[in-house]
Amino acid sequence: LEDSTEVWLNSESSIRYPEVFGPDERRVAVTGEAYFHVKKDNSRPFYVETDRQVVRVYGTTFNIRAYPDETATYTTLETGSISLAHTSTPSGEIFLSKGHQAVLDHESDDINMTVVDPDVVTSWRHGRFVFEDQTLDRIMRDLSRWYDFQYEFADESLSSRIFMGSIPRYSDFRTAIQVLENCGHIRFMVSPVDNRILISAE
């Protein structure tokens, strides 16, 4: 950006920002997932808006995951300092510590804090899918955004299975699903008609 702030966007993500920031603040809006390295400027606070929250940045690196089709917004602090507030009640701020993630539930509007490994959360920026105690449904959402396919579960209980592992992001799609098949006792069947994938137990 014009203030030397750097932003990385994940698949199916977008950012809105002015060509030149105003004299009093710097404000952008994000849909999807983005990683920020914000240039510190005490005279112009930096704000990141999503559909449900506003993050105030104090010169730092952090990750926001705010896909509209997911049930929560995830804000993860890597270095520095940030605070966040509901868009409906911007007066109340919650401050994050390094290595913490704020999870804003879209249904209840509650915000819960958890300790995470920022390297895992931001692994997408370095060309890898890293899954650490993630559900198969969450994994398939990420893969489908990157490789552009539709999927369904033969048995919905499979969607909540927990996985751990790592897949090179730029590998062939067949390689990616083979890794999951080998470690998860599941099977992927690809329809030759519409490229839709059916996921079933082995």
Side-chain angles (χ1 to χ4, degrees), residues 60-109:
T60 183
T61 58
F62 66 101
N63 195 84
I64 290 183
R65 182 184 176 103
Y67 285 105
D69 62 345
E70 295 190 349
T71 59
T73 296
Y74 303 85
T75 306
T76 307
L77 179 61
E78 187 177 60
T79 64
S81 178
I82 62 175
S83 67
L84 60 89
H86 290 286
T87 52
S88 56
T89 55
S91 57
E93 287 184 291
I94 297 175
F95 285 84
L96 272 70
S97 300
K98 178 181 176 181
H100 282 71
Q101 182 180 81
V103 182
L104 169 59
D105 186 281
H106 292 176
E107 186 173 340
S108 66
D109 263 354

Side-chain angles (χ1 to χ4, degrees), residues 7 9 14-18 21 25-34 36 38 45-57 62 64-67 73 75 83-88 90 104:
V7 185
L9 293 177
S14 62
I15 182 172
R16 297 195 311 274
Y17 60 93
F21 290 117
E25 68 174 25
R26 298 166 291 165
R27 189 175 293 265
V28 302
V30 166
T31 300
E33 186 165 23
F36 287 84
V38 175
F46 194 100
Y47 296 95
V48 180
E49 296 180 348
T50 67
D51 181 45
R52 296 172 181 269
Q53 70 180 26
V54 179
V55 174
R56 177 167 176 160
V57 187
F62 66 101
I64 290 183
R65 182 184 176 103
Y67 285 105
T73 296
T75 306
S83 67
L84 60 89
H86 290 286
T87 52
S88 56
L104 169 59

Side-chain angles (χ1 to χ4, degrees), residues 2 34 47 96 131 152 168 174:
E2 62 91 9
Y47 296 95
L96 272 70
F131 310 120
E152 61 181 306
R174 298 283 179 175

